[in-house]
Amino acid sequence: MPLKQKTTISVIKADVGSLVGHHITHPRQLEVARQHLEQARKESLIVDFHVTHCGDDLELIMSHQRGENDKEIHELAWNTFIDVTEKVSRPLKLYAAGQDLLSDAFSGNVKGMGPGAAELEFEERVSDPLVVFLADKTAPGAWNLPLYKIFADPFNTVGLVIDPSLHSGFTFEVLDTHEGLSIKLKCPEEIYDLLALIGDPNRYVISKISRNDGLPAAAASTSKLSMIAGRYVGKDDPVCIVRAQNGLPAVGEVLEPFASPHLVPGWMRGSHHGPLMPVSYSDSQNKCTRFDGPPRVVALGFQIANASLVGPADLFDDPAFDKARAKANDLADYLRLHGPFVPHRLGPEEMEYTTLTGVLEKLKNRFQKIQ
Ligand code: F6R
Ligand code: MG
Ligand code: MG
């Protein structure tokens, strides 16, 4: 098959076990993953890569020219996760070794098999800045609010108002994760319809965004582990790719929604709402300890140069985000006061996929009719 000339960024991730509960990856896991991707680079399957983590999730950021959903790229990621599990997670008895690998054999695409994937194919501009967001202890709908602000809210992205090249707006592709359907909504015309859906991030998840002239702008991972496994196996801990500048939102507009930590589902046992805290990827911030959280997001900036990844820049490593972190901690304190009560604990629909069902089952026969 002839190689395409466009560049593709594939961010594929999985939790394949971690150090001391569900808290952080082990450095040896990252080393083994790097060896795999280095070999793939030597064989020219990929052009470049960056291996990192967000909390307990192993993140493979790869650049290549094979397009989205390429079988060999997905197989490379799958085999890497298997190898890290066999060579590191199992021998070291890391916690929940191989957790997200829900299938016995690779079936052509990691989607539906446990790992999460966000992929974006595009023609490189003269200079192409791009931000990769990585989250831990939350679900794919966590990106709905920030993506809306970045690409549709002029109070966040002033470029929508004052830059003619953004002025015509963006089209959002939204998945209905319950029905397995997708819809495209053109904004600003259909902003209210968009909000009617994505305001319920448990069901509706933004998967792709393009500028209204077709320019690819963003992609997010959408896989829900509980929907694949039919039970709770850890949160999905989604990833997202956003291109920036020169006719797209500026990097500062892309980061701005995270200055106000919004509440997302996830955190302890995937069963609680908590604030999404923007953190540096340095080990001092990028780990989930308090009540297994609170949920976190890391932002890595890259310049894409002939399909190479120049960077990363650690974009939340800025005192300007200290207040967001402090606010997230205040919100965490407040929510924790509620203990096992909603709205800290998730509502019944989302709790269906947790271990709570086992407890309710046990009580079922003890209920008596009210006289
Ligand atoms: C959340 C998460 C953790 C675990 C919790 C219980 O995504 O991974 O909060 O749910 O530590 O884990 P187990 O049941 O493995 O003891
Ligand atoms: Mg884990
Ligand atoms: Mg995780």
Side-chain angles (χ1 to χ4, degrees):
M1 198 179 72
L3 289 184
K4 297 179 184 172
Q5 282 320 297
K6 289 181 181 175
T7 294
T8 304
I9 306 298
S10 297
V11 183
I12 305 187
K13 52 79 50 184
D15 176 346
V16 290
S18 49
L19 187 61
V20 198
H22 291 282
H23 143 241
I24 195 168
T25 50
H26 189 284
R28 183 80 190 115
Q29 292 176 304
L30 273 67
E31 258 173 61
V32 169
R34 284 188 190 113
Q35 286 162 9
H36 260 262
L37 299 196
E38 186 53 51
Q39 185 59 32
R41 174 159 63 183
K42 281 193 188 132
E43 291 166 7
S44 302
L45 179 62
I46 55 176
V47 177
D48 205 355
F49 67 89
H50 181 72
V51 171
T52 187
H53 74 99
C54 182
D56 62 1
D57 290 274
L58 178 58
E59 317 275 356
L60 312 179
I61 303 171
M62 300 173 282
S63 56
H64 54 94
Q65 294 179 315
R66 307 183 65 88
E68 296 170 18
N69 294 310
D70 180 77
K71 182 173 176 281
E72 289 186 50
I73 297 293
H74 280 239
E75 193 163 23
L76 167 66
W78 179 259
N79 289 340
T80 302
F81 294 137
I82 295 276
D83 211 40
V84 170
T85 303
E86 297 310 326
K87 288 201 173 122
V88 189
S89 312
R90 293 206 201 283
L92 298 185
K93 292 182 71 172
L94 295 181
Y95 197 67
Q99 175 186 277
D100 288 356
L101 309 178
L102 301 179
S103 182
D104 292 336
F106 179 69
S107 66
N109 193 303
V110 295
K111 285 180 197 160
M113 299 179 67
E119 297 187 281
L120 199 60
E121 184 185 38
F122 52 88
E123 246 167 64
E124 280 185 33
R125 297 170 292 166
V126 173
S127 177
D128 224 303
L130 173 147
V131 180
V132 176
F133 290 105
L134 312 167
D136 191 25
K137 303 295 184 270
T138 187
W143 305 129
N144 281 9
L145 188 149
L147 286 175
Y148 172 79
K149 283 189 169 177
I150 296 165
F151 289 103
D153 178 4
F155 279 74
N156 180 89
T157 299
V158 69
L160 292 165
V161 179
I162 65 175
D163 182 344
S165 53
L166 280 79
H167 204 78
S168 72
F170 292 85
T171 294
F172 291 69
E173 188 171 342
V174 177
L175 303 192
D176 176 345
T177 57
H178 289 190
E179 297 295 330
L181 299 170
S182 84
I183 183 171
K184 284 188 183 170
L185 293 162
K186 190 175 177 211
C187 295
E189 295 91 315
E190 296 185 295
I191 273 180
Y192 297 159
D193 292 323
L194 176 68
L195 287 171
L197 300 180
I198 65 168
D200 175 5
N202 296 316
R203 175 163 181 174
Y204 298 100
V205 174
I206 298 170
S207 59
K208 277 265 161 76
I209 299 172
S210 49
R211 204 168 61 184
N212 282 339
D213 62 0
L215 186 90
S221 65
T222 56
S223 59
K224 289 194 134 198
L225 289 167
S226 60
M227 298 255 166
I228 300 167
R231 63 187 159 83
Y232 181 69
V233 277
K235 264 302 186 224
D236 318 292
D237 304 336
V239 292
C240 180
I241 303 168
V242 178
R243 293 170 81 199
Q245 304 286 158
N246 194 26
L248 289 169
V251 169
E253 291 167 330
V254 171
L255 302 179
E256 182 63 9
F258 299 93
S260 314
H262 62 297
L263 298 183
V264 296
W267 206 349
M268 172 59 78
R269 297 176 185 273
S271 305
H272 294 80
H273 286 115
L276 187 63
M277 182 189 273
V279 294
S280 154
Y281 72 69
S282 66
D283 282 351
S284 62
Q285 294 190 4
N286 181 7
K287 54 185 177 180
C288 290
T289 46
R290 183 181 178 191
F291 199 55
D292 285 1
R296 253 141 245 247
V297 54
V298 165
L300 300 184
F302 294 95
Q303 288 291 144
I304 309 303
N306 307 315
S308 286
L309 297 167
V310 181
D314 187 2
L315 296 168
F316 289 140
D317 182 20
D318 178 347
F321 285 97
D322 285 350
K323 270 184 104 174
R325 291 187 270 272
K327 191 169 179 182
N329 277 324
D330 286 344
L331 288 165
D333 279 343
Y334 180 70
L335 285 162
R336 287 295 304 122
L337 286 179
H338 297 79
F341 285 76
V342 295
H344 183 23
R345 196 179 82 181
L346 302 184
E349 203 181 304
E350 293 165 85
M351 292 300 284
E352 240 176 73
Y353 291 100
T354 69
T355 45
L356 178 70
T357 46
V359 178
L360 298 180
E361 185 61 28
K362 208 179 70 178
L363 296 176
K364 211 170 70 182
N365 296 328
R366 291 178 52 194
F367 280 98
Q368 300 190 352
K369 271 247 172 319
I370 302 168
Q371 298 302 319

